[in-house]
């Protein structure tokens, strides 16, 4: 079951560059794990913004909430979720 | 080069059900062709809305404009395009 | 798996009162069936507006899309879906 | 008499993790009491956001205001209230 | 129990001046009755707009919904309801 | 001459509880005086929000500006003013 | 007492060019009269839009409402009123 | 050439009352000079808000930018500029 | 003096394809003339939308208003104008 | 391939004037380099705002993202990107 997320990141001024780098390293590891587990199907930078669009494949809303809340930078993210359904024009020519 | 599109469709009341069905059939064929050509990487229904999110892989903005303007239902669609760049957390575990 | 929907209805001027009444009767039957099947957990009128909030319990996004698209008045409705997860403060004292 | 609330929580950076945990513990207790008293009919997490939708059953607006102002985290919450009325399509097949 | 309503009126072009005048006459009568019954506590024109702010004193949300749906021009009105509670700075020097 | 105001209050985190209480006490006194002078015709809490709707009866815009700027918490308030005119459906059955 | 108005005009498609021209002629005459009576202190086209900003000098809100409702094109205008007060930085070097 | 500006002022909490008073005194002097030079044609307080509408008469956009950037409180102002053109209903009965 | 415009076009359903084609042909001629006269410095399609961004070089606001109102499709366009000034980071390496 | 960017700058209060000046000097150098490399085709101040519109000519979205992220003040900028395509009314009379 697929969901599209848009995530906008806003770090407070009080964070040091080291803290930011640490958050980003942990975020990268967490994100990579989600991809290898097949729960994150793709992630793309929104050009010019500290934001991404990403697609998730989860069993249900509770799992998606766990995935979201598990992001190390979750408290600094503004997340908007869009539930996706199969489109009638979808063909097998695309990956998912 | 990837772009995310959100398309919202609004048919005028004056269209007959046959006209709507004809538009939808041509849209389906056009969309399928784009997928087989590798220009549309995915398309999903926004649950509860006559809308989709879809991802395009094109050479440049002019090609994307041609792809968009070629949709049979283009004049009835409200389209918003978001340019996507590679995300630093992207891994090879995902399809694209 | 629960979802909250807000539905706003906008009938075109061209519909006759009989057509409106027919739509409403079919909507009422469809809505009642969803409730008896356990797919619609509740529905409430937004005071002063031709709109409702309703809660759905479905297996996945595709089923929710089918439920939504099945509403007789679907083409006249503006629908916004919010995926819901279990809240940590939820207790068994409430119905669901 | 039912009301739908959407509550978005924004903690200031100055709060320590201990203060946050204390607020959350008191919030959980307060929320549980409201559920056992029958004043809160349901509460759900908005997936991906530090927010909830919840439904209240109160005698009047003044009681709802007291319920809202009593939340330990009230000063950190952005609350929007929607008054709900009985929907003509409501049946006895649903809990309330 | 008090509620504030803002009502914006939008007549379709297809209505004749006579139909508009008839709607307005029936609206005036309905509004006057609500005032005499004590259910409408006040009504004011928003300067420059075909809109009003009005205050209602009703038993509960269902009664308010009935009052709203009873307006002859209800189908042409966009209504937003705000539930009001007693303000701590309110004194007996004001009418209500 | 009547005006409707919506006031939303946002205190900065730096204020102590004592400072807040002092502001609120002075606000209450100021608000009561306006009511006794007949300049404030009513004030109501917006349920769930640190906000009010209030109605003012003043000679002109300059007096309204003085009334607004005189609120002890003025610098912490976001105020929106709507000028009100007599509504054609107004009757003498209401207080003003 | 001064008010700023922004007026946006939207003519329905059903009006003939002659009807539009007639409305515009009557509007011009009405607007000229307001200026000669000193009730309209200025009127300017918003560049690129069928809209104006204009300033009114009236005795009270009821007179402003009469002035607004008297515009021949009033039913085709979207009007937003802002009450203006004397600014502390105002000097006698300007016209009003 | 005329432009309408709306300026909203937001002082940070860190400014002392003396600093605010100093900014306001310099702003008043700067604003008075603009009026005497004929570059500011009028300035009015938006009732209830720390905001003004003001009208400027300048040679070109670059001069307007210089005028704006010269305000002592410029860094604390949110400014929106609307270019104004001569309105066909304008008469010589008004000042400008 | 430069201005940026965003123009969104909305044709009514009642126009025939021939009428649309005629409007577009006249628009193309008008736009070409503006470019040759040096009044339009550039025009670009917003990808996926029936909209453009374009840049104008005119003597003053009144000339810009004339340029805008002269577009054959002006009555079907929603135009937003942004006045541009010289940027301090501008160098002679760019065309204008 | 062209893109339009709107950039709004918001410096935190904690920056000293020296830090701001240093950021601006580095920004000016970076911006000049982009212009000399032909990647930035133009940059203009939005009158009255700490904002610019600028046009970029890049190979693809990833290059645009690198250009954006390279701005010294990137973390203080709110950037919105619009992809541009060739407009059918474009002629060779304009620079690009």
């Amino acid at each position: 079951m697929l969901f599209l997320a848009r995530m906008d990141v806003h770090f407070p001024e009080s964070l040091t560059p080291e803290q930011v780098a640490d958050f980003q390293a942990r975020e990268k590891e967490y994100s990579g794990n989600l991809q290898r587990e097949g729960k994150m199907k793709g992630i793309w930078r929104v050009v010019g913004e500290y934001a991404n669009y990403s697609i998730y494949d989860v069993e249900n809303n509770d799992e998606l909430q766990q995935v979201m809340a598990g992001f190390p930078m979750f408290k600094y993210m503004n997340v908007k979720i869009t539930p996706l359904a199969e489109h009638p024009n979808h063909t097998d020519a695309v990956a998912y």
Side-chain angles (χ1 to χ4, degrees), chain A:
Chain A
M1 194 169 61
L2 300 176
F3 292 87
L4 178 70
R6 179 179 165 127
M7 301 176 172
D8 289 76
V9 180
H10 302 281
F11 284 130
E13 278 300 303
S14 60
L15 288 186
T16 65
E18 291 72 24
Q19 287 174 306
V20 167
D22 180 57
F23 270 119
Q24 290 171 329
R26 289 160 53 207
E27 189 89 353
K28 188 183 183 69
E29 181 183 0
Y30 181 77
S31 180
N33 288 341
L34 288 175
Q35 292 171 59
R36 281 179 289 273
E37 294 164 10
K39 294 184 181 175
M40 183 192 278
K41 305 293 285 184
I43 182 169
W44 304 275
R45 168 68 72 231
V46 177
V47 176
E49 306 187 52
Y50 196 174
N52 73 65
Y53 274 105
S54 41
I55 294 180
Y56 300 87
D57 187 1
V58 292
E59 288 301 304
N60 51 47
N61 291 346
D62 286 330
E63 186 185 1
L64 182 59
Q65 171 61 17
Q66 289 173 345
V67 166
M68 290 294 129
F71 276 100
M73 288 157 44
F74 179 64
K75 67 181 288 193
Y76 302 126
M77 300 192 312
N78 186 347
V79 179
K80 288 293 170 190
I81 299 288
T82 304
L84 302 175
E86 185 171 333
H87 195 284
N89 296 352
H90 165 96
T91 72
D92 291 342
V94 297
Y96 60 94

